[in-house]
Amino acid sequence: MLAVVESSAILGVDAYGVRVEVNVVPSGVPMFVIVGLPDAAVQESKERVRAAIKNTGLSFPSDRKLTVNLAPADTRKAGPAFDLPIAVGLLVATGQVAEENLGDTVLIGELSLDGSVRPVSGVLPMAIWARANNKRRLIVPAANTREAAIVGDVEVYPVHTLADVIVLLADFAAVSPVTEDPRALLGTTTAGDADFADVKGQAHVKRALEVAAAGGHNCLLVGAPGSGKTMLARRMPTILPPFSVDEALEVTKLYSVSGLLPSGAALVTQRPFRSPHHTISNAGLTGGGSIPRPGEVSLAHHGVLFLDEFPEFDRAVLEVMRQPLEDGHVTIARAAASLTYPAKFTLVAAMNPCPCGYFGDTLKACTCSQNTVSKYLQKISGPLLDRIDIHIEVPRLKHDELTSPPAGEGSAAIRARVEKARKVQEERLASTGLYCNAHMGAKQIQQFCKIDGDAMSLLRAAITQMSLSARAYDRILKLARTIADLAQEETIGVAHIAEAVQYRALDRKLWV
């Protein structure tokens, strides 16, 4: 007898439908075969399904030929999420479960040997696929329930065991589907303990980070050890605008397919802050592997990617960031497929000015030779520096700043200004599909970065004196646009250009 069960699988960050076809026929040589390009984890489901069915008290057809086809057959299937649909397909094919309620029902889940249903990765994109393809019901492991229910317009039913699935398929009306409201979850988001009010001094650095947050600009902090670079960077997420529902769903999809969404969680409600170690590989940073997974640049999507000890990263690793910094996505080409992961993040990098850390310091002498300093700085290429909008020096605090209590603004006040600036940008860029100034292209810069006469004269002088590249010129205009937005001014003036230019001056001081 033939039975068909609908399921789903992940390709990149999106899901696609998988038709699980189970055929059970009498045979002189009993066997259990899975076809449709299954990986090792899918092949091993034969033993999990066999034990789960028997330990649930049901009959497993050990004396027959069992053939399971995972269609489409030309796409490799990975992971244990097909255990549950295979088991249900076998029970339907052997007449132990009726198939009436299987129509428009998608099943996902890993089985334990005792018949319990374990959580799997990627349930959110699977639920999105089910909604897009007009599936009525989704049966998922109990630990993945909230993640699936956040999508809406699909009836989501949690199950703890294979026995629960059998009872559910007999009568869906006896159980109420689970629902979740993403807006309610985002409304309960709480800030962490970090706050800019804890930072002593460094007013100009806090201002630079405010500009970076308001326009989505990348930022490089350069200063001696102990000057507060890491502390400042870790407070960057506290001044970013809250998630929209669409942004939260995009980020949650990435964490779901990566297996990083906490068990029982429905949504990632706070902007991510990723801080990989400097020994990270290319695949770890941008994504990849034999089974491609999102890298750190994608896990920082709509959030902050913090690279401490910037020059200590392998140069080849840093150079692969040039595409996501420019395009907002990462494309990974493999023989079987080409996958694209979103990567619109704000880069905050921190570094010492030299190997010992005290080049240019007023209190402690640098022990590095000029050649050593030059080699250290050259680990950061010019094209990569050009893609970082803001370069700011973080000086050592003076004695009176260290001993006095913090007196600066808190994150809430800064965040309020950032939100106002972002709202202006969203309204201005609504027709372009963009949402912040850092993502503007040449056409948008020409259209929206209007400069008065005196400001243009200052910009021309800066270009000549600082030998700025065309990319750096565009970055200054985008920075000036953000600074004007923070001031709630429509036209870019001299003060806005002057502040933007100073954020590009540090690299001319060091990288010469």
Side-chain angles (χ1 to χ4, degrees), residues 54 101 115 126 149 176-177 217 226-227 238 269 290 346 391 443 465 477 509:
K54 289 183 175 180
N101 285 329
M126 293 177 188
S176 298
H217 302 286
S227 58
T238 67
T269 58
S290 56
T346 299
H391 310 150
K443 183 177 180 180
Q465 293 175 18
L477 284 177
K509 171 184 173 183

Side-chain angles (χ1 to χ4, degrees), residues 58-71:
L58 300 166
S59 174
F60 184 84
S62 302
D63 58 342
R64 304 182 192 181
K65 181 180 180 181
L66 315 177
T67 305
V68 176
N69 178 44
L70 306 176

Side-chain angles (χ1 to χ4, degrees), residues 110 285 487:
E110 174 187 347
L285 188 64

Side-chain angles (χ1 to χ4, degrees), residues 322-367:
R322 284 159 62 172
Q323 183 208 3
L325 284 173
E326 194 74 19
D327 301 334
H329 63 263
V330 175
T331 300
I332 300 171
R334 292 291 181 268
S338 181
L339 304 176
T340 298
Y341 297 116
K344 288 186 177 178
F345 59 92
T346 299
L347 172 66
V348 179
M351 62 177 286
N352 298 330
C354 68
C356 79
Y358 297 102
F359 178 72
D361 192 83
T362 56
L363 299 178
K364 188 170 182 178
C366 175
T367 59

